[in-house]
Amino acid sequence: MKLNRRAIIGGITAGTLAFGLAACGGGGNEEGGSGDLASGEINASGASFPDAFYAAAIEAYAEVNPDLMVSYNATGSGTGKSEFGEGLNDFAGTDSLVKDDDGVEAGSFQYIPTVAAPITVSYNLPGVDALQLPQDVLAGIFGGTITTWNDQLIAAANPDATLPDTAITLAVRSDGSGTTTNFSKFLEAASPDVWTLGSGDTIEWPGNAVAGEKNTGVAQIIQSTEGAIGYVDLADATESGLVTASIENADGAFIAPTLEGATAALDGAQVEADLSYNPLNAAGAEAYPITAPTYILIRTEYDDPNVAAGVKEFVNYLLTDGQDLAAENNFAALPTGLRDQAVEALNSTIAD
């Protein structure tokens, strides 16, 4: 049964989710864990991109063991990494890799990939129910050189659409965001001759941009603004009922944001030694080109063994039984090989 995300998070301040969690040995998991249920509390913060998946996993795991409490505050990747570096959380969610200025000490963490999903390009243009955007056109829109919907470059790619002369409003993130990093990295890689704004958790957007907090904030701007276009994770775009564009991929095909397209992109991604990987603009006729990974940062050392055990158990659940919750919450599960690598890294980083 598909979980109702709004019901899960309703009434909880600032996106914090608190539910009981069980040990990885108690939920039918055979990989990792001691077989004893953990107890206590673990706290996390970070990326809003995987929030729907983490919410569903936390709720499902609460039915196994109510004695371990977890909270995940969807603050955005930038804040999650910063709080991780300051010791304010027990693990962090991030869609972007750690940089020198994030405040996280080298060697103090391990990337654990969890799921992946399309970053949709969603828009609000009444009467236009289908839209194809070539890579250079998308870069021009978000770079500020294409400012009206009836621009000849958009029209050329959509000859059957009746495009109005409505001004384009860009819906972007106000907070430091891994979704912004992945979206801008895609534009940088796919259209280097057009895209000039670089990549990162924050971007100096053109003057026609309106910023919202988290993926939900961007979705709200698109919903309420005729002529708006923005980048939003598939879960929030689906829940908000947004219309999404098909994006040109590396093979020249226009692909809608679907889990099948994300899975095709994952199949072509190379996994690095630290378990980071890049499925953006992956080759393959069926690959959705703006497919983003997401990670959990775990510590290489924990002062409290109970916290270490709790983190290990919950993250193991995400990688095992929790993967079954991915698709119904609009995320692509990890390929088996990468999942196995992630479990191995978790077990070696946090020893029993």
Side-chain angles (χ1 to χ4, degrees):
M1 180 180 69
K2 182 174 176 60
L3 298 172
N4 187 319
R5 183 181 175 206
R6 294 301 183 203
I8 293 170
I9 67 176
I12 299 178
T13 304
T16 300
L17 301 163
F19 299 96
L21 296 182
C24 51
N29 302 311
E30 298 179 357
E31 300 155 275
S34 64
D36 297 324
L37 298 182
S39 61
E41 181 177 350
I42 55 174
N43 301 296
S45 59
S48 66
F49 181 77
D51 189 30
F53 170 65
Y54 293 161
I58 289 168
E59 185 183 53
Y61 209 9
E63 298 179 5
V64 181
N65 176 20
D67 294 330
L68 178 63
M69 302 298 293
V70 64
S71 63
Y72 183 80
N73 192 1
T75 57
S77 295
T79 298
K81 288 184 289 186
S82 176
E83 291 180 347
F84 186 86
E86 295 174 22
L88 299 177
N89 56 28
D90 299 316
F91 66 88
T94 181
D95 311 321
S96 56
L97 302 185
V98 173
K99 296 182 179 179
D100 292 341
D101 59 359
D102 285 327
V104 179
E105 183 179 352
S108 69
F109 68 92
Q110 169 68 49
Y111 292 113
I112 302 293
T114 55
V115 288
I119 298 175
T120 75
V121 177
S122 299
Y123 64 96
N124 181 343
L125 206 59
V128 181
D129 298 327
L131 192 67
Q132 295 189 154
L133 294 176
Q135 294 179 346
D136 285 351
V137 173
L138 185 63
I141 290 171
F142 280 88
T145 59
I146 297 175
T147 58
T148 59
W149 279 106
N150 65 346
D151 185 283
Q152 60 181 354
L153 294 176
I154 302 176
N158 298 275
D160 296 329
T162 301
L163 298 169
D165 60 0
T166 306
I168 292 173
T169 299
L170 303 178
V172 301
R173 289 287 287 270
S174 61
D175 51 326
S177 161
T179 308
T180 300
T181 289
N182 284 305
F183 184 66
S184 57
K185 281 175 64 177
F186 164 72
L187 294 173
E188 192 173 51
S191 188
D193 294 335
V194 177
W195 182 252
T196 61
L197 302 183
S199 62
D201 284 2
T202 60
I203 296 291
E204 291 294 329
W205 297 104
N208 62 333
V210 177
E213 188 177 2
K214 308 177 187 177
N215 276 279
T216 51
V218 175
Q220 288 168 0
I221 293 169
I222 298 168
Q223 272 186 317
S224 61
T225 309
E226 187 170 330
I229 185 171
Y231 54 96
V232 184
D233 67 284
L234 181 62
D236 279 299
T238 301
E239 187 166 310
S240 300
L242 300 180
V243 180
T244 60
S246 295
I247 307 300
E248 182 187 18
N249 70 10
D251 284 24
F254 289 94
I255 304 297
T258 64
L259 295 186
E260 292 79 9
T263 299
L266 293 183
D267 288 341
Q270 178 178 344
V271 179
E272 304 297 334
D274 62 2
L275 297 192
S276 64
Y277 64 102
N278 181 11
L280 295 169
N281 211 31
E286 303 299 323
Y288 180 71
I290 324 178
T291 294
T294 195
Y295 309 93
I296 280 176
L297 302 182
I298 60 172
R299 302 187 186 282
T300 54
E301 294 184 7
Y302 285 91
D303 294 333
D304 187 335
N306 291 324
V307 170
V311 170
K312 183 175 182 179
E313 290 169 6
F314 176 58
V315 175
N316 186 83
Y317 177 77
L318 293 178
L319 295 171
T320 53
D321 290 357
Q323 293 289 296
D324 294 338
L325 302 170
E328 64 190 67
N329 289 281
N330 295 299
F331 292 86
L334 297 179
T336 301
L338 179 55
R339 187 208 67 166
D340 291 346
Q341 286 180 273
V343 171
E344 182 179 354
L346 174 65
N347 290 335
S348 62
T349 302
I350 306 178
D352 291 330

